[in-house]
Amino acid sequence: MAVELKEMVCITCPLGCRLELEIENGDIKAVYHHSCKRGIEYARQEYYDPRRMVTATASIEHGVMKRIPVRTSEPIPIKHINALLNAIYRLQLEAPLQIGTPVIRNFAGTGIDVITTRNLETIEEGC
Ligand code: SF4
């Protein structure tokens, strides 16, 4: 049986516990040095299915700005991030747009959308 130790920092709260995971044949057998049970949940999520919120900007035509900030509706699996950023950078949006508007829906079948994070008026409206 192959046993290894893996370290990670729990980022669930500002305490930032330095977790140690005991991995046996690819599965977590124990989590050490957590100060609360949320550390165990974090370790399992981060080990088996790491996810991140993604923020970026997308190109927009006829708006008071050339780009509009966007973010994922929830954390997305890390393996999808490069493809997602490429999809965001290919967008050609059109003003006006309201905050919270989905500009990509159900990316790669994940059920996760990309939404705008501000209102953006047209040049005419903004004058
Ligand atoms: S294990 Fe608990 S106390 Fe430690 S950083 Fe995570 S959430 Fe905070």
Side-chain angles (χ1 to χ4, degrees):
M1 284 185 280
V3 177
E4 61 177 302
L5 295 175
K6 181 177 176 63
E7 293 182 351
M8 65 174 64
V9 176
C10 178
I11 59 172
T12 306
C13 86
L15 201 58
C17 294
R18 293 185 173 274
L19 309 177
E20 192 171 69
L21 285 61
E22 186 178 308
I23 311 293
E24 188 176 301
N25 296 325
D27 278 325
I28 299 174
K29 290 300 171 192
V31 178
Y32 303 107
H33 311 307
H34 53 287
S35 296
C36 73
K37 68 178 184 183
R38 287 186 299 164
I40 298 174
E41 294 162 11
Y42 174 82
R44 293 187 67 79
Q45 177 74 44
E46 186 66 10
Y47 182 74
Y48 291 115
D49 184 21
R51 293 173 177 242
R52 297 290 183 274
M53 289 295 288
V54 172
T55 61
T57 61
S59 177
I60 186 163
E61 296 286 330
H62 307 118
V64 293
M65 298 166 62
K66 297 283 186 201
R67 302 191 70 80
I68 184 168
V70 298
R71 68 167 172 83
T72 48
S73 55
E74 57 189 280
I76 190 166
I78 283 177
K79 65 183 179 185
H80 290 303
I81 289 178
N82 281 345
L84 177 67
L85 286 172
N86 285 333
I88 291 172
Y89 294 143
R90 283 195 302 271
L91 287 172
Q92 290 290 334
L93 303 173
E94 187 77 28
L97 281 179
Q98 297 296 307
I99 187 170
T101 302
V103 293
I104 296 176
R105 291 183 186 271
N106 188 24
F107 182 75
T110 59
I112 296 168
D113 297 337
V114 175
I115 60 173
T116 56
T117 60
R118 62 160 289 169
N119 296 327
L120 199 82
E121 306 83 20
T122 61
I123 294 171
E124 296 77 29
E125 291 171 327
C127 291

